[in-house]
DNA sequence: TAGGCCATCTGGTCCT
DNA sequence: AGGACCAGATGGCCTA
């Protein structure tokens, strides 16, 4: 499966301790065949432009092409490594949340795991389905002649928020379980 | 082989 | 000032 690829990814280490010990002049981007081009860094055997794409110029046209003068090159590299690690951890947390979401939503079992976009789409549909179920239940308990209103949705939201405050992280799955059993009983 | 999906790096921007 | 967040870029793996 993907594990092979992930293993290969994890071995990708563009910045190493060795890099930190490089002489500033050696680590300066664009010193050889890259001379004269955009500031670049050597990553995983390829050169990446430090300034690329329109989004890079959001800060206002003239960006700094070279490292900031008030930080040493080594200091910049250390900060970059730390920043990379934080970003990795952040993405891992995001992926864990996606995995939790995959497990929370019912779907046809597949030999492969749901992609992120599939997970989000299914979750959206699932939420809409649950909402309509709940609104249907509440309308069936209304006095004859009355229809579900926005008040029903508001009370649903209020109920959910109450669960969030009371139960923390586990609240969503518990709430959905309650809804499921409730809809089966009625 | 092309396209989809993903992990990772990176610099800019926002927020505390 | 520093961390979080975001989006673009890149390259690897997998599948049709």
């Amino acid at each position: 499966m993907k594990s092979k690829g992930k293993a290969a990814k994890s071995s990708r280490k563009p910045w190493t301790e060795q890099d930190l010990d490089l002489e500033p002049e050696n680590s300066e981007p664009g010193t050889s065949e890259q001379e004269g081009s955009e500031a670049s860094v050597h990553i995983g055997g390829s050169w990446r432009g430090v300034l690329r794409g329109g989004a890079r110029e959001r800060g206002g046209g003239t960006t700094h092409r070279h490292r900031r003068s008030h930080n040493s090159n080594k200091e910049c590299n250390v900060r970059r490594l730390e920043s990379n690690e934080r970003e990795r951890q952040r993405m891992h947390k995001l992926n864990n949340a996606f995995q939790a979401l995959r497990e929370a939503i019912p779907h046809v079992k597949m030999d492969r795991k749901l992609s992120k976009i599939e997970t989000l789409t299914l979750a959206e549909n699932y939420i809409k389905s649950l909402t309509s179920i709940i609104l249907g239940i509440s309308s069936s308990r209304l006095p004859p002649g009355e229809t579900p209103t926005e008040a029903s949705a508001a009370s649903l939201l209020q109920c959910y928020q109450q669960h969030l405050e009371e139960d923390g992280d586990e609240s969503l799955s518990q709430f959905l379980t309650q809804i499921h059993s409730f809809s089966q009983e009625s």
Side-chain angles (χ1 to χ4, degrees):
Chain A
M1 300 291 279
K2 293 268 184 184
S3 59
K4 214 166 108 184
K6 282 175 185 173
K9 304 260 187 210
S10 61
S11 67
R12 240 176 85 184
K13 277 205 140 192
W15 291 94
T16 66
E17 279 71 16
Q18 241 185 345
D19 294 328
L20 301 181
D21 292 335
L22 285 176
E23 304 255 332
E25 287 308 308
N26 288 345
S27 59
E28 181 69 17
T31 50
S32 57
E33 73 274 19
Q34 307 299 321
E35 193 72 70
S37 63
E38 292 280 58
S40 311
V41 287
H42 195 206
I43 291 174
S46 67
W47 287 89
R48 291 187 180 191
V50 168
L51 305 172
R52 49 170 185 247
R56 289 289 162 274
E57 299 177 14
R58 268 180 292 179
T62 56
T63 51
H64 300 288
R65 286 173 176 254
H66 300 286
R67 63 181 180 272
R68 289 170 186 162
S69 56
H70 62 276
N71 280 344
S72 71
N73 186 263
K74 186 172 180 175
E75 194 177 348
C76 283
N77 288 351
V78 170
R79 295 182 65 78
R80 210 344 109 184
L81 281 173
E82 291 171 349
S83 179
N84 288 350
E85 179 61 26
R86 282 194 300 272
E87 178 66 6
R88 261 197 307 275
Q89 295 304 319
R90 194 181 71 84
M91 295 309 295
H92 287 166
K93 282 166 66 178
L94 184 64
N95 287 337
N96 287 341
F98 264 106
Q99 185 55 38
L101 188 57
R102 281 187 192 99
E103 293 167 4
I105 56 177
H107 62 275
V108 177
K109 296 291 180 192
M110 298 192 291
D111 50 354
R112 61 172 179 81
K113 75 175 185 182
L114 291 173
S115 70
K116 291 180 178 179
I117 186 68
E118 287 170 338
T119 303
L120 290 178
T121 305
L122 279 176
E124 180 193 9
N125 292 338
Y126 188 42
I127 291 170
K128 286 178 177 174
S129 300
L130 291 175
T131 303
S132 64
I133 288 172
I134 293 170
L135 293 181
I137 291 170
S138 57
S139 70
S140 70
R141 296 186 173 188
L142 286 174
E146 288 194 25
T147 57
T149 63
E150 289 185 358
S152 302
S155 62
L156 174 61
L157 179 62
Q158 185 181 7
C159 181
Y160 173 61
Q161 286 174 335
Q162 185 180 348
H163 276 266
L164 271 182
E165 291 172 2
E166 290 174 357
D167 304 327
D169 292 343
E170 302 272 330
S171 61
L172 180 58
S173 59
Q174 288 178 3
F175 185 50
L176 295 182
T177 304
Q178 289 175 13
I179 290 171
H180 185 66
S181 58
F182 183 49
S183 64
Q184 282 184 331
E185 287 172 8
S186 58

